[in-house]
């Protein structure tokens, strides 16, 4: 993709990564982009760099607009290497450039890239005049790293929001008005669930801060720029940060010889018959990225596992480990499953669900070898009661 002027004298100069499918474990089914922005004024500023290996493209895009030697400031809104990986390559062209970062950002950049960079540390309230453009900085610690910050241009009502409001979405359109909104919102939701879900209270606080800013354009570090639909993403973030749930029950399981599968089906059918929205998701055909996206607006998660060598199935353990780190709130949990001669998986699943912040609902159900009529009756009853509870809770 070529550079593009997104506002007078402000350019997108990043890299669209059409091929990436695994972003540190996140399944990026539509690729991504590493956005960098160039502000051309009496002094020239580059907002963020790109992932290691994509610097040639960044420099080519910059050179289409100005001589890269003219860059006076490299603003590092976020230290993670997908946005800082090629700062050195820019500095090789513009060695006089000052790297602007938060205090934690400077520490992180020095650890990643030992060198003799000329830093300027900024904090909320600090600003830099480029000429006609004023850059204001807002620390947003832990959204999603300690170093994170926003850069805001008050005159242009434009926010460089680093990862916040981003999407892993490779597209030839640079703006929300140029892409399919359903796809865009789905990718924004997936991004939020996998990267930001565990930071709900910090997101709410940051959204309150953002309310004091006039914002017409939001330029994230991944995906497309929000213009016409900016209020839609801001409102979606508010709902996600509050863990607003639908009357949706997820039945997530794995199975060895169909016993846990049968329990999952019976529980799901009963919950569905009682009026809940139900999704049955087997772990060997659903990736973790899409599973936790489903968790974001679910009211309950029922997890089923057979016992394998006195433990949960590894697929179930992996899902629950991932879920635990994402610290969802306000959801109900259910655990069920089967075993052969020694149990353990169901109790372990229940413990993991509790550690992940879910409130356990009803009793765990486990059966030896095959679920008998009594076991299936319990699954049916639990499905019905769980549905009644989530419908009541989400009214
Ligand atoms: Fe896109 Fe947290 O890096």
């Amino acid at each position: 993709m070529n550079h593009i002027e997104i506002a007078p004298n402000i350019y997108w100069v990043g890299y669209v990564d059409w091929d990436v499918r695994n972003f540190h474990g996140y399944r990026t089914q539509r690729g991504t982009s590493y956005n960098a922005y160039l502000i051309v004024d009496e002094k020239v500023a580059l907002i963020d760099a790109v992932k290691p290996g994509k610097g040639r493209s960044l420099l080519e895009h910059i050179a289409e607009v100005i001589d890269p030697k003219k860059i006076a400031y490299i603003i590092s809104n976020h230290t993670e290497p997908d946005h800082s990986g090629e700062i050195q390559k820019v500095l090789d062209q513009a060695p006089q450039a000052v790297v602007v970062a938060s205090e934690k950002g400077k520490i992180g950049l020095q650890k990643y890239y030992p060198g003799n960079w000329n830093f300027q540390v900024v904090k909320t309230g600090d600003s830099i005049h480029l000429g006609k453009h004023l850059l204001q900085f807002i620390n947003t610690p832990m959204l999603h790293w300690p170093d994170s910050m926003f850069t805001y241009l008050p005159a242009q009502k434009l926010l460089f929001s680093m990862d916040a409001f981003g999407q892993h979405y490779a597209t030839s359109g640079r703006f929300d008005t140029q892409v399919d909104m359903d796809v865009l919102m789905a990718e924004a939701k997936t991004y939020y669930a996998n990267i930001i879900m565990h930071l709900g209270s910090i997101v709410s606080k940051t959204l309150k801060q953002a309310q004091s800013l006039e914002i017409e354009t939001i330029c994230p570090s991944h995906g497309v720029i929000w213009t016409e639909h900016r209020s839609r993403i801001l409102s979606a973030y508010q709902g996600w940060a509050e863990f607003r749930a639908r009357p949706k029950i997820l039945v997530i399981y794995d199975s060895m010889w169909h016993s846990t599968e049968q329990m999952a089906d019976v529980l799901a059918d009963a919950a569905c018959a009682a009026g809940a929205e139900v999704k049955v998701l087997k772990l060997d055909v659903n990736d973790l990225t899409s599973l936790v996206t489903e968790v974001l607006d679910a009211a309950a998660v029922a997890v089923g596992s057979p016992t394998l060598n006195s433990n949960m199935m590894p697929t179930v353990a992996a899902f629950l480990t991932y879920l635990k780190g994402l610290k969802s709130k306000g959801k109900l949990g259910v655990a069920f499953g089967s075993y052969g001669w020694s149990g353990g998986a169901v109790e372990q699943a229940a413990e993991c669900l509790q550690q992940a912040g879910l409130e356990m609902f009803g009793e765990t159900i486990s059966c030896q070898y095959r679920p008998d009529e009594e076991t299936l009756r319990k699954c049916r009853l639990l499905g019905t009661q769980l549905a009644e509870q989530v419908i009541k809770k989400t009214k």
Side-chain angles (χ1 to χ4, degrees), residues 185 188-189 192 200 233 235-244 296:
M185 290 309 295
K189 182 182 175 188
Y192 183 95
I233 189 64
S235 145
Y237 261 56
Q238 191 64 57
W240 295 332
E242 291 168 11
F243 290 96
R244 280 183 212 152
L296 181 60

Side-chain angles (χ1 to χ4, degrees), residues 274-351:
E277 178 188 333
V278 177
K279 288 198 174 177
V280 181
L281 301 161
K282 195 174 179 205
L283 279 154
D284 67 346
V285 292
N286 288 280
D287 59 75
L288 298 181
T289 305
S290 56
L291 288 170
V292 300
T293 306
E294 290 290 352
V295 168
L296 181 60
D297 60 1
V301 183
V303 172
S305 179
T307 297
L308 176 66
N309 302 329
S310 307
N311 277 295
M312 293 179 276
M313 284 276 280
T315 46
V316 179
F319 165 67
L320 289 170
T321 301
Y322 193 38
L323 186 67
K324 186 176 154 192
L326 292 173
K327 297 183 182 131
S328 66
K329 286 202 173 80
K331 303 185 190 304
L332 300 174
V334 161
F336 63 94
S338 55
Y339 63 93
W341 48 100
S342 75
V346 177
E347 294 72 21
Q348 289 165 23
E351 194 181 334

Side-chain angles (χ1 to χ4, degrees), residues 138-143 150 164-165 192 196-212 233-244 329:
I138 303 160
N139 292 123
T140 57
M142 294 318 297
L143 187 61
F150 289 166
F165 313 115
Y192 183 95
I196 299 181
M197 192 204 294
H198 64 119
L199 305 164
S201 56
I202 294 170
V203 174
S204 294
K205 192 175 140 207
T206 307
L207 287 171
K208 271 199 194 113
Q209 269 181 294
Q211 276 169 5
S212 64
I233 189 64
L234 289 167
S235 145
Y237 261 56
Q238 191 64 57
W240 295 332
E242 291 168 11
F243 290 96
R244 280 183 212 152
K329 286 202 173 80

